[in-house]
Amino acid sequence: MESVKILKSSGEIFYDDNKNYWKADISWNIPCKKITIFGTTRALTDKERSNIITKLLNKFYFGNYLDYENDIYLCKLYNRDMSKKEEQDVEDMSYSILGEYILELPQSDDANQIVKDMRNLFVNMRIWVKESINRKEKISCTLPFKIYGKKREMKIFLKMFDSIAYEFEYYFFKMTGKEVEIKCIESKMINGKATVIFDIKEV
């Protein structure tokens, strides 16, 4: 059973994960990069946010062309007209829905493979950066990463990553206190499989 149902025509969202059930209004303003849920009475749990973001991406970015919303993954998710950080009363930058899912939230089994790949990339980067800090070395790494899919999936992956790379950099700055620059330096097909190579360095 799907835990999240979103009706675009009426602007309604229904949530039921066998523990929490609620319904509310939802609206999005893509130019202002804002998706807002109205009518809920409390801060959403990380699981709720993970499931909602997965549904938004699957239906409105990776779904059929009738529902397609370009750049919806760059929007931030607001609940009761507050960002996640505002609900938590924390002075910090709120991430886009894609960045929030990858950097802060538990994984959803229903996530698109491209999003799963990006999450795996982040985990690999975080492990490498932690090891560099533990060894008291300057952060500098060239990291090859394989993507499930071919040229089309690689292009989508790189487009999405390039849009939120600064969020990865901000996360690692908070983690290490060091300015880090992350960029893709090469992308290629090897034996029919997509491989991208990232450069991560302290600046």
Side-chain angles (χ1 to χ4, degrees):
M1 183 182 95
E2 289 185 315
S3 58
V4 183
K5 184 176 181 181
I6 299 174
L7 303 180
K8 187 175 184 180
S9 58
S10 59
E12 294 176 292
I13 180 171
F14 300 84
Y15 188 92
D16 185 0
D17 64 4
N18 295 320
K19 183 178 179 181
N20 295 303
Y21 171 80
W22 50 264
K23 61 181 180 177
D25 296 324
I26 185 170
S27 68
W28 44 85
N29 185 333
I30 305 297
C32 291
K33 296 181 171 55
K34 188 172 182 178
I35 297 171
T36 308
I37 297 172
F38 300 98
T40 50
T41 58
R42 58 172 174 77
L44 301 173
T45 66
D46 280 352
K47 182 181 179 184
E48 286 172 301
R49 293 185 73 92
S50 178
N51 289 337
I52 291 166
I53 288 171
T54 296
K55 183 63 163 184
L56 286 166
L57 293 174
N58 286 350
K59 183 170 183 178
F60 299 108
Y61 192 75
F62 296 110
N64 65 59
Y65 70 94
L66 293 175
D67 289 322
Y68 181 75
E69 292 284 354
N70 190 34
D71 294 341
I72 193 169
Y73 61 91
L74 297 176
C75 293
K76 296 180 181 181
L77 180 61
Y78 291 77
N79 179 47
R80 300 177 299 159
D81 213 24
M82 289 188 286
S83 72
K84 179 182 177 181
K85 303 301 184 184
E86 288 171 327
E87 285 193 322
Q88 295 173 336
D89 195 24
V90 174
E91 290 188 11
D92 200 358
M93 181 180 82
S94 290
Y95 297 114
S96 64
I97 60 172
L98 179 61
E100 181 183 341
Y101 175 80
I102 291 166
L103 302 172
E104 296 186 324
L105 297 177
Q107 182 166 312
S108 168
D109 293 336
D110 297 329
N112 181 276
Q113 185 61 53
I114 291 172
V115 176
K116 288 180 180 179
D117 284 346
M118 204 172 300
R119 188 185 187 95
N120 289 337
L121 171 67
F122 164 67
V123 170
N124 288 338
M125 287 181 174
R126 184 173 60 185
I127 290 170
W128 191 91
V129 169
K130 278 186 176 180
E131 288 177 350
S132 295
I133 296 300
N134 290 341
R135 293 192 300 263
K136 298 182 180 179
E137 296 176 352
K138 188 171 182 178
I139 299 168
S140 180
C141 171
T142 300
L143 179 67
F145 185 77
K146 291 183 179 178
I147 297 170
Y148 285 92
K150 297 190 177 180
K151 194 169 185 178
R152 176 182 177 275
E153 288 74 21
M154 182 171 67
K155 288 177 71 174
I156 295 171
F157 180 97
L158 290 174
K159 176 192 173 188
M160 297 178 82
F161 178 82
D162 285 347
S163 299
I164 67 162
Y166 75 97
E167 296 183 337
F168 279 58
E169 292 168 350
Y170 179 74
Y171 178 94
F172 288 126
F173 171 73
K174 288 198 304 176
M175 184 177 116
T176 67
K178 301 177 184 295
E179 297 279 353
V180 175
E181 181 182 71
I182 304 171
K183 60 183 178 180
C184 175
I185 57 174
E186 189 175 356
S187 59
K188 54 189 175 181
M189 298 296 297
I190 301 176
N191 298 324
K193 294 184 178 179
T195 300
V196 291
I197 301 175
F198 291 92
D199 184 58
I200 313 164
K201 64 181 179 181
E202 188 178 326
V203 294

